[in-house]
């Protein structure tokens, strides 16, 4: 049974506490937040957990095996670093850190100390993405041609990060999980429509070479909520619509066929026709992603299972975020990763 | 009663013939196509129309008041020019021409000759877009902040143009109709996934200055068909989903409110909250856009009504298409319009 | 090439004329309607067709091989009878006749004269229903357990029939096509909500014995349009949603499993769990049902193909309609068919 | 602060415990279940609650103000009766009791003792139904003409009740809330398709006189989940789709207009046309119904607020359930309520 401590009880922290408390493999020994109000509110539901306003108290407890960090991004590096230096395994909220340099340091530190560093790229643990990854790995889709991910909503604007750092890590982590590498270059277009606030709507374009392109649209300003991830392959295509509870994943047995033909005007021309086949919505487990993440965290620590979303991936995601930030600041100039 | 001739009986031409034949204000006197087979196939349904393989025969007929051109884009300029020089009013399929220079020449020629030059930006005549334009003009939406248009499908790839020239004119015309000007600059990202064929998937980003940005996603390779146009305003937002026959237009009484507040850490910060109100799907007429276009064409000719989609707009759309083409060729470099 | 005549140019007739005119196997030699206005309106699009206000003129033409009847139900019997007596093959709009007695007479007359009598149960010719019938015939669904069909809309109320006679023939024909027999008994509940007009909303319940039940809900008063047909089988279930253009048919690999178990209270009890599998939306042809019906009509006449929706089925459908009428008149009393 | 005890920790009980524990106005002092396993499982999350296997222990505690009963239906009467006799206010899971006689006794007992008897007709406390009730009360819909409620799913079959007693109470309570009286008569058609188990699919037809009819379709065997409630009024109609998280309630400004006209055949006829207007999806609060129910329970006890779903309504719902049971047992015979 792993003894864990959760630092940061904002929007996401309490979900982590709940899953750590419910899992048979972990216990939530500490909850920590600088705000006494939040400590009380969350503590009321988890009376068994000790409370601390200062993370130092948590890190000083030799009983604690692992620390879960769900604080604002700017603080990830300092807290994760301190936790690793204290010999604790670390699960950190996405993105891993505020800069690639920080992420790299955390990755190396964890490696050097032989500690687990896991990033909460929670969608990787959803049954839909797990199935999607199996389809890609099995070659059922053929070669990936394009990815179009849309993650827009009328969302509460964050004060510490812009919409790219807030939402895009989800898409970037999923794509990294499927593609396994960073893009060659990034073009990012974005703007703030909320009166001098952070960027609240943006489009990212990732060029992976070898004919693979990915586009990501994130926004806090859409009156309609969309969570769709489209992957087009040479053999099949997949639509992952996270809002379609009944059919989250759909596999389209459709593709294009390129042939040469004579135009009505008698010119030789490239004729591209398309074939249309069945659509299959595979059955998916109903497991809660966060519960599976917590179990995976325990497996990494107790059974040396390689992390599905470890420091390497966390670093790759931050590197793309940094490149996107530079591109957007340069009005969409293409930036190499 | 206007006497019209239709040149080009490919995919769209027959629809124009049908509407010209049915309308009480026009008659389809000629159908013209270089392919005898098409002439027979279409002619069988419109026995009253004379047939010609050579446009010259049509233009030589003094009875003909107006010529409708539905041929491949590359031929628009020569045919429209000849028709205008022959003193005929012209309705031309979108886009107006293959280059801005050609479009400009046609616009000027029509103006000089006092002839009507109308571009078949057909969506402008749909009840949904007409209603949308009314909402914008009436200020019901406040200031436009962003536009996101998605027009993707598993479509038959054209041999004469790429997906941007094929599909984006629809979106560009709608946006031009609402905004009334060209963007300051364009960034276009696109690629061909069909083995050396034309660009079959692309994203356009238009910067209109004054905080207004528009994004357009067009593709021939999507396994799912999407036709959604989202306009976010300072007061309300509108979603125009052309595939939702029951509720094509939805007005969201939602917006964001920007306030200053103290962060939990005590820093002054910009806090953006959002308000949520009713969603209204206004009743729309069921009129066929093409029928309304034909009627409008007759109004322009007989009643001097200013064209809703005349040479000016046709030129603006082509200018943006050209800029997008340059940007895409330069791997997404920002191009001034 | 079959020479045909269409009698009745109301809502549906022109569609029949168009398909008969376009098909390579038939020609529309006559159009007939008592209203000169309709003759002109429809005739304008089919100048090749002779016009008649009196059906007698049509039946007297020895050139005419087959007569298509699309008049109000009350006139089906007299017109179809006259056509058969004139030695013409007959395609009649659904329902076949206003009473089972009339339908029976037509069926017998056609048989005696060796003429084709086909009923326009048009949905039987839709790719979706054809596929559904294949699935049932192949046993892919197991034994049918229940059918629930909903066909509601805000529809124009008919003056000559109530909503059951107007809409339910579609559902009854589809069910008859799948089940191949009439139900043992019918319960019908319905009412008129339009101020003394005909019944405008009704529910039919058909008991087929052997554990198979079918429910049909038809209405002219629903603000939302629904066209869904659900068939639950012992192995799989199918949803046919005629409004879902992208996935009209969905096959659910789901079912229930009945086991015995001990209740928490220690009682032996029947425990019914369910298994959940993939959902498959099979690819469907895009053919127009009415075109396939016309071709089938030609096959029946020229190649002696047994009618898919002949007099037998037409009679069975009318018998159920009559039983439903009696049940409804008796406030829902169960009526044997 | 009300001191409450929850008896029955099956599927629904824990939700009640959670809401009673979280509400500032109630505390969950006891949890009670005959199964030690369930007591431990639920108790783990609510360490503050005392545990009991025997309800007697709970009822004997003078501290307890109110008892919440979430046990199988067969036990509602005995437990609620005992609780009322012990001077406790009672909140009981739907349906109130297994027979109208039992429900009547509970209603009278509560009244005589001056205690609150509330039935957990939880949908009455949902923002959607509250808004719907306001629209009906304000006359925005005109006179109700028909109600069609569909509540089907592939659900776990209950061992203690059939699908009518399991699901229909929700619909019956909503209708009772809107209409305020029992129907004159009921027709129920249903069957068991799960091999000798309880009825797992049924249709109820309620005749309220004055032109109002309601139909309810409940099923445990549908591969697709539907939760739709359609109310047609003389002025407007409403669709309440509980699965449409974004637009649960839609108000259709549509109706029919009855006029007299001459048929094409020159007969005087009733012509019913329809008008089509806007569709409005009113903004709804996001409050959790169960939390509002708990608050209402507290209001009833502490502020003498009349119960929204008290013994009267609980009795009316059971009376309709009993009538439906008799009708179904008689193969759909009409049964007076």
């Amino acid at each position: 049974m792993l003894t864990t401590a959760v630092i940061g009880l904002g929007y996401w922290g309490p979900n982590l506490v709940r899953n750590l408390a419910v899992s048979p493999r972990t216990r939530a020994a500490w909850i920590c937040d600088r705000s006494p109000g939040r400590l009380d509110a969350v503590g009321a539901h988890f009376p068994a957990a000790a409370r601390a306003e200062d993370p130092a108290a948590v890190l000083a407890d030799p009983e604690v095996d692992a620390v879960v960090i769900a604080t604002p991004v700017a603080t990830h590096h300092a807290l994760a670093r301190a936790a690793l230096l204290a010999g604790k395994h670390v699960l950190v909220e996405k993105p891993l850190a505020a800069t690639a340099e920080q992420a790299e340091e955390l990755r190396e530190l964890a490696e050097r100390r032989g500690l687990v560093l896991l990033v909460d790229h929670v969608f990787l643990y959803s049954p839909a993405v797990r199935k999607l990854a199996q389809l890609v790995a099995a070659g059922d889709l053929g070669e990936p041609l394009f990815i179009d991910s849309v993650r827009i909503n009328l969302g509460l604007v964050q004060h510490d990060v812009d919409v790219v750092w807030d939402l895009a890590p989800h898409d970037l982590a999923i794509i990294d999980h499927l593609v396994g590498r960073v893009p060659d270059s990034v073009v990012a277009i974005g703007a703030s429509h909320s009166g001098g606030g952070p960027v609240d709507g943006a489009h990212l374009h990732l060029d992976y070479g070898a004919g693979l392109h990915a586009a990501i649209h994130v926004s806090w300003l859409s009156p309609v909520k969309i969570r769709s991830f489209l992957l087009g392959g040479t053999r099949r295509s997949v639509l992952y619509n996270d809002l379609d509870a009944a059919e989250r994943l759909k596999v389209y047995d459709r593709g294009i066929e390129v042939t040469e033909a004579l135009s009505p005007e008698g010119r030789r021309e490239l004729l591209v026709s398309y074939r249309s086949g069945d659509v299959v919505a595979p059955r998916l487990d109903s497991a809660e992603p966060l519960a599976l993440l917590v179990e995976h965290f325990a497996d990494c620590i107790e059974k040396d299972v390689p992390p599905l979303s470890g420091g390497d991936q966390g670093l790759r995601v931050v590197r793309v975020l940094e490149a996107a930030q530079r591109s957007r600041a340069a009005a969409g100039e293409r930036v190499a990763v």
Side-chain angles (χ1 to χ4, degrees), chain A:
Chain A
M1 183 100 153
L2 280 175
T3 300
T4 68
V6 176
I7 302 175
L9 303 176
Y11 164 67
W12 195 241
N15 294 329
L16 288 157
V17 178
R18 176 171 49 81
N19 278 277
L20 291 163
V22 171
S23 166
R25 302 181 56 183
T26 58
R27 66 188 201 87
W30 287 88
I31 55 175
C32 173
D33 195 285
R34 62 169 56 176
S35 149
R38 290 192 198 155
L39 273 176
D40 292 344
V42 178
H45 293 93
F46 305 97
R51 309 178 188 184
E53 293 182 30
D54 182 351
V58 171
L59 301 185
D61 178 353
E63 294 275 301
V64 172
D65 304 304
V67 171
V68 178
I69 298 167
T71 55
V73 180
T75 66
H76 285 185
H77 173 257
L79 288 168
R81 187 171 176 282
L84 291 166
L85 289 173
K88 314 298 189 187
H89 301 288
V90 170
L91 169 60
V92 62
E93 195 38 53
K94 55 88 197 168
L96 171 54
T99 69
E101 188 182 9
Q102 293 179 349
E104 172 63 22
E105 186 188 348
L106 294 177
R107 190 189 64 77
E108 279 178 0
L109 182 56
E111 194 173 0
R112 215 162 50 239
R113 296 293 182 108
L115 294 167
V116 171
L117 173 62
L118 195 68
V119 186
D120 182 4
H121 291 154
V122 66
F123 282 95
L124 266 54
Y125 301 86
S126 70
V129 173
R130 288 156 84 100
K131 180 71 179 179
L132 174 54
Q134 291 167 16
L135 292 170
V136 171
D140 291 0
L141 310 181
E143 285 305 307
L145 291 174
F146 63 87
I147 291 170
D148 268 296
S149 190
V150 179
R151 187 177 301 274
I152 63 179
N153 194 10
L154 192 58
L156 211 43
V157 175
Q158 306 296 315
H159 55 78
D160 60 331
V161 292
D162 67 16
V163 72
V164 175
W165 285 79
D166 178 39
L167 298 182
H170 292 308
D171 310 285
L172 293 172
I174 295 172
I175 296 172
D176 184 88
H177 182 55
L178 299 176
V179 176
R181 67 182 197 275
V182 293
D184 302 341
S185 63
V186 177
V187 168
I189 312 278
S192 169
H193 304 90
S194 53
V199 171
D200 44 32
H203 291 75
L204 274 57
H205 298 282
L206 319 178
D207 185 345
Y208 284 88
L212 175 59
H213 301 80
I216 299 172
H217 179 201
V218 288
S219 173
W220 283 329
L221 299 183
S222 171
V224 283
K225 182 177 186 177
I226 302 179
R227 294 269 184 280
S228 85
F229 184 98
L230 181 61
L231 188 155
T234 49
R235 292 187 50 218
R236 289 192 184 80
S237 296
V238 173
L239 175 65
Y240 159 38
N241 178 355
D242 200 48
L243 302 185
D244 185 345
E247 300 177 4
R248 276 206 170 75
L249 211 62
K250 287 185 180 182
V251 183
Y252 294 82
D253 183 11
R254 296 175 183 171
I256 52 176
E257 261 130 33
V258 184
T259 51
E260 283 228 326
L262 283 188
S263 73
E265 292 71 27
R267 293 189 276 92
R268 289 202 73 67
E269 64 188 11
L270 192 73
L271 194 64
V272 181
S273 62
Y274 58 91
R275 59 175 183 75
S276 180
D278 296 352
V279 183
V280 178
R283 197 193 65 76
L284 299 173
D285 304 330
S286 56
E288 183 182 358
L290 205 42
L292 296 173
L293 170 69
V294 164
E295 187 169 351
H296 178 66
F297 188 40
D299 285 339
C300 295
I301 295 172
E302 298 175 336
K303 304 178 180 174
D304 271 336
V305 170
L308 205 63
S309 53
D312 295 6
Q313 185 181 72
L315 171 59
R316 288 195 297 268
V317 166
V318 173
R319 284 177 57 200
V320 178
L321 289 170
E322 273 193 341
Q325 194 165 21
R326 283 202 301 280
S327 173
R328 202 203 58 72
E333 207 171 80
R334 185 171 294 275
V335 170
V337 179

